[in-house]
Amino acid sequence: MVAHFDRRLRKAAVTTTVAALAVAALSASQAPDVTADGNGRQTTADNVPASETPAAESATGNSPYYTDLPPLNSPKPAPTAGTPTSPGTSEAGIPATVLDAYKKAESELRLSKPGCNLPWQLLAAIGKVESGQARGGRVDANGTTIGRIIGPQLDGNGFALIQDTDNGVYDGNSKYDNAVGPMQFIPSTWAWAGRDGNGDGKADPNNVYDAALAAGHYLCRNGWDLSVQADLNRAILSYNNSQDYLNTVLSWLEHYRKGTHEIPDGTGSLPVGRSDDPGAGASPSPGGTGAYPSSQAPATATPGPKPSPSKPPAPVKPGNSGGPSTKPPTDPAPPTGSPTPTDTVHHLENAGTTGLTAIAGDTFAEKISTRAETTAGAAVGKVRIRFTVLGDTDATFTGGEKIAAVTTNASGVAVAPALVAGEQTGEFTVRATVIGRTVPGLDYRATVTERVADTLTRTTETELTCTPGGEFADPVGVKATLKGAVADKVAVTATLIKSEADPAENDKGPYFKDADGKAVRTLTGLKTDAGGLLELPKLYADDAEGSYVLRLTTPGGAQLDITLKVAKAAEPTPDPSTEPSTQPAA
């Protein structure tokens, strides 16, 4: 038996004028061509269908969704009877594990599909309207929902008709398909879109990490660039083919872009307005939290006849889905008073990380280890720890991510993936925090140092000479190595010095030119290429003759002095055969 999602009823043809107008008003900036018809329904200006994606090929099968709107800062005029009220400020909060899943999915898509430009806020917006952020963050340490989230059966009675495609494996229904999980995938779509987002070797639509990554890949197909409004609209409509759905998602997307914050798992608000409810969006979550009672998991309504527009449906009692026939709850949550491992974490301790230093471009030799402990110092296993790279740095974890989530082992220790230094040098911070519980984070300082070389050698042996006021014909080429191996991307400083004994910059003799053609005798910012090679810019000479020294240095101690000579061209040797004869004429 499974726990079915509360209040997921059939999508009715009628929504209230006020709710629809509110959606249109909030999302006008996101959907510029959207207007409202005489009944308050949104339509496109050219009246073109919202999307050509068949229900069976969409993510959700066009299942019902939550229509609650983001909170308004100061509604004007003041709300009156029948006007949607703004949810409390807690609406902006996203449960910690759910938020972590969205950000992790964005990070992975940034690498695998960089042209898509997927923002995590879009996943949050869809997660909000599809499941109320996994029922307010009711997930375990691995991100799996506590009780499966299942929509109504798609039997053609007020919904699309989609015969069973998974033998009931995901939705428990062997006759018809149902949308499943926090992102509400139908099994037929999950079969090709499903992803393993938490690295446990399986793709589970009931896991928020898996579902968020799958949603990201789904939205990034067809070469869509989500930074382009038209592609963004197409992607959202392919998820659920409804203009009202598009406007609602865009409203939450804009809301989350303006700012949000992390809240503990299980404390998120649960919206009440549904797209299959004539009163959708009419009121905020009761009590401001919308969390399900710990003694009861949500249940799914058995679809009943469509409500008549002239006869309002009977009031919905708390705990019921509002249909004429409701299944009893079958998947109770853990009883109150039974703390999860996460609940017992009091603090985090360093589990032996001693020094984090790496040369630019290298992988840090040491991994960060963190231990979760109770008040008494006992280890806490099966706790999700999030590691986040902070500060002005291009360092990442293996795979290019700046966020990594790891579950503690039986010893309470979580080991972060290896850190990879970028090209930017300096210090940065990696912060460890407990996902789903507010305890002080633990910071680790890391340092990226410059690439180094211990040897510089010339690539040619040609003597470097020039006439006064001329230019050196041969370029200066060098190769950098470190312990005999190629030293790539190593910074090189070139300075024309007074002598090997006096490293001060010379004020005469050879020189380089800057962008304005002015003489400069010190160059910085030079770097060797992938083969450790560097060719210096052209050298010129003033009128001062003599022997000069060009000194090249690198981080790591490599130094090379090159002799440059400025001298007049040698007088040509006379050819005796062309000389006038000095012998007397015969």
Side-chain angles (χ1 to χ4, degrees):
M1 299 297 289
V2 296
H4 289 230
F5 198 9
D6 193 15
R7 292 185 294 275
R8 227 181 218 292
L9 307 178
R10 294 174 300 131
K11 183 176 183 179
V14 180
T15 57
T16 62
T17 300
V18 174
L21 287 172
V23 174
L26 279 174
S27 57
S29 62
Q30 258 52 39
D33 296 326
V34 173
T35 59
D37 66 14
N39 296 317
R41 294 184 293 266
Q42 282 84 23
T43 61
T44 54
D46 56 3
N47 209 24
V48 174
S51 170
E52 296 180 357
T53 304
E57 296 177 12
S58 72
T60 69
N62 298 335
S63 291
Y65 55 91
Y66 280 127
T67 61
D68 287 20
L69 305 176
L72 302 174
N73 292 330
S74 51
K76 292 181 181 181
T80 58
T83 301
T85 58
S86 300
T89 56
S90 62
E91 286 289 349
I94 300 177
T97 298
V98 180
L99 179 60
D100 184 62
Y102 296 153
K103 291 185 176 181
K104 188 173 187 292
E106 179 200 56
S107 181
E108 292 194 23
L109 266 298
R110 192 183 301 122
L111 290 174
S112 60
K113 296 182 179 179
C116 176
N117 295 305
L118 172 77
W120 67 260
Q121 292 91 341
L122 176 58
L123 298 177
I126 291 176
K128 180 69 175 181
V129 302
E130 291 296 344
S131 68
Q133 310 297 20
R135 294 190 309 224
R138 293 186 68 240
V139 296
D140 64 19
N142 293 318
T144 302
T145 59
I146 300 174
R148 289 193 284 182
I149 302 174
I150 301 179
Q153 64 180 14
L154 301 174
D155 58 3
N157 185 18
F159 308 112
L161 174 59
I162 303 178
Q163 302 286 347
D164 174 65
T165 61
D166 67 328
N167 295 318
V169 171
Y170 294 119
D171 55 16
N173 188 341
S174 59
K175 189 173 183 181
Y176 302 100
D177 271 351
N178 307 61
V180 179
M183 302 303 277
Q184 287 292 277
F185 279 95
I186 54 175
S188 56
T189 301
W190 185 260
W192 60 265
R195 296 291 192 279
D196 176 17
N198 63 350
D200 63 358
K202 61 181 180 180
D204 180 4
N206 300 292
N207 182 278
V208 70
Y209 287 96
D210 296 357
L213 183 59
H217 278 280
Y218 183 90
L219 295 165
C220 286
R221 70 197 195 286
N222 297 331
W224 286 330
D225 178 356
L226 302 185
S227 65
V228 176
Q229 189 66 47
D231 282 358
L232 175 64
N233 291 352
R234 293 186 188 100
I236 296 172
L237 288 169
S238 76
Y239 211 91
N240 192 314
N241 187 10
S242 161
Q243 191 69 38
D244 289 350
Y245 181 86
L246 170 65
N247 295 336
T248 306
V249 170
L250 289 174
S251 296
W252 281 106
L253 171 60
E254 178 65 14
H255 180 69
Y256 287 135
R257 276 175 167 164
K258 290 179 179 178
T260 185
H261 58 277
E262 176 182 297
I263 59 176
D265 290 342
T267 65
S269 59
L270 191 67
V272 295
R274 298 289 302 186
S275 60
D276 53 350
D277 179 358
S283 60
S285 305
T289 64
Y292 286 95
S294 60
S295 60
Q296 178 179 322
T300 293
T302 300
K306 296 181 180 180
S308 170
S310 60
K311 182 179 180 181
V316 179
K317 296 181 180 180
N320 290 336
S321 60
S325 174
T326 303
K327 296 180 182 179
T330 58
D331 192 4
T336 303
S338 299
T340 66
T342 302
D343 294 331
T344 67
V345 177
H346 177 264
H347 60 273
L348 297 175
E349 289 287 343
N350 186 333
T353 304
T354 55
L356 294 168
T357 302
I359 295 173
D362 287 355
T363 299
F364 284 76
E366 186 174 6
K367 294 181 179 180
I368 297 173
S369 297
T370 299
R371 175 182 163 97
E373 297 183 354
T374 65
T375 305
V380 185
K382 298 182 179 180
V383 173
R384 199 83 167 164
I385 304 297
R386 178 168 60 239
F387 298 93
T388 305
V389 177
L390 303 173
D392 184 16
T393 180
D394 55 354
T396 65
F397 293 111
T398 301
E401 301 176 11
K402 286 185 175 286
I403 299 175
V406 181
T407 303
T408 58
N409 59 22
S411 299
V413 175
V415 180
L419 274 170
V420 179
E423 295 302 319
Q424 188 170 341
T425 60
E427 291 189 343
F428 64 93
T429 299
V430 177
R431 179 168 297 164
T433 55
V434 179
I435 297 176
R437 184 167 175 79
T438 304
V439 299
L442 184 60
D443 287 351
Y444 298 82
R445 300 295 294 176
T447 303
V448 178
T449 60
E450 290 183 292
R451 292 173 181 260
V452 298
D454 56 18
T455 305
L456 283 172
T457 56
R458 282 192 63 192
T459 54
T460 65
E461 296 299 327
T462 306
E463 186 178 39
L464 298 170
T465 62
C466 177
T467 58
E471 60 184 51
F472 288 81
D474 297 314
V476 177
V478 296
K479 181 176 182 178
T481 56
L482 177 64
K483 297 180 180 179
V486 167
D488 64 322
K489 299 180 182 179
V490 173
V492 178
T493 298
T495 305
L496 290 151
I497 61 177
K498 291 186 175 181
S499 68
E500 292 183 1
D502 184 357
E505 181 182 283
N506 211 334
D507 57 0
K508 61 181 180 179
Y511 61 90
F512 300 102
K513 287 184 180 180
D514 64 13
D516 297 324
K518 295 180 180 178
V520 293
R521 290 185 167 86
T522 298
L523 290 182
T524 59
L526 303 171
K527 283 192 175 182
T528 61
D529 63 14
L533 301 175
L534 171 66
E535 185 174 291
L536 273 63
K538 184 180 288 291
L539 277 162
Y540 302 85
D542 60 17
D543 293 333
E545 295 184 67
S547 182
Y548 299 91
V549 177
L550 170 64
R551 175 165 289 178
L552 306 179
T553 59
T554 71
Q559 178 177 304
L560 176 64
D561 288 344
I562 300 173
T563 300
L564 307 174
K565 292 183 179 180
V566 179
K568 292 180 180 180
E571 293 291 338
T573 302
D575 185 350
S577 65
T578 62
E579 289 294 320
S581 175
T582 59
Q583 298 292 327

